[in-house]
Amino acid sequence: MYSSSLAGIEAKPSVGLQQSELFKDFHAVVEDVIVKRMLTHVVAQYEQRANAEATKVNVALQKVADCHHSCLEAWQCLQTLHAKLKQKEKPVESFWLAECRYRRQADCFCQAQQEANEAASLVVREVQDLEEWRDEMVEKVF
């Protein structure tokens, strides 16, 4: 009888070890889920902010392209009128207006380029700050 009671005592620690191991496994799974959720949230915020910055640059570049197209059209119109003047046709009354239009479009194009350069510089700084923020958030998670 004495030996059977010892066998029961030895069995209890092994059950306790199994429960402890199960608890450790459960805790590790819960930690993994929490870390993955937090990292997923950080990645989502990062992507959202990065996409917003990319949109700003794309808008500025589209404005540059539009201004360039308008400037090119005004230049072509001016050159056509200038060619008519060289052919010694009557003075073209709209030449002065075409030149003014071209100069305005050229100014618009230069201003759009400057704004796009400034937007790109700002976005580079914002992305650097965003990278630092992401690194800090990842460090906090771990």
Side-chain angles (χ1 to χ4, degrees):
M1 235 180 165
Y2 186 73
S3 63
S4 66
S5 66
L6 285 177
I9 291 174
E10 290 174 10
K12 287 183 182 179
S14 67
V15 170
L17 286 175
Q18 288 175 352
Q19 288 176 346
S20 175
E21 288 175 16
L22 286 174
F23 180 73
K24 286 179 184 177
D25 290 344
F26 175 75
H27 187 266
V29 168
V30 169
E31 260 186 7
D32 285 346
V33 168
I34 290 172
V35 167
K36 285 179 184 176
R37 282 187 183 169
M38 292 175 76
L39 288 175
T40 301
H41 180 70
V42 168
V43 168
Q45 284 183 329
Y46 176 85
E47 287 177 348
Q48 181 182 11
R49 291 173 63 186
N51 287 337
E53 297 302 324
T55 300
K56 290 178 187 176
V57 171
N58 287 336
V59 166
L61 291 175
Q62 184 60 47
K63 183 177 179 183
V64 169
D66 293 343
C67 288
H68 179 263
H69 181 72
S70 297
C71 185
L72 183 60
E73 286 178 345
W75 173 255
Q76 289 171 341
C77 179
L78 182 63
Q79 290 302 307
T80 302
L81 293 175
H82 187 49
K84 286 182 180 179
L85 284 176
K86 281 187 172 182
Q87 293 174 356
K88 297 184 181 183
E89 292 180 9
K90 287 197 266 182
V92 181
E93 296 172 1
S94 59
F95 184 79
W96 182 81
L97 292 174
E99 185 173 352
C100 289
R101 186 176 302 119
Y102 165 69
R103 289 178 186 269
R104 275 184 288 157
Q105 293 300 326
D107 288 342
C108 173
F109 177 60
C110 290
Q111 184 178 359
Q113 281 183 318
Q114 182 64 30
E115 290 172 2
N117 288 341
E118 291 170 1
S121 296
L122 182 63
V123 166
V124 167
R125 282 181 288 212
E126 291 291 327
V127 169
Q128 287 172 341
D129 292 344
L130 189 57
E131 289 286 331
E132 290 175 8
W133 171 83
R134 184 188 63 181
D135 291 343
E136 290 172 7
M137 295 303 291
V138 169
E139 286 178 18
K140 286 180 182 179
V141 168
F142 291 113

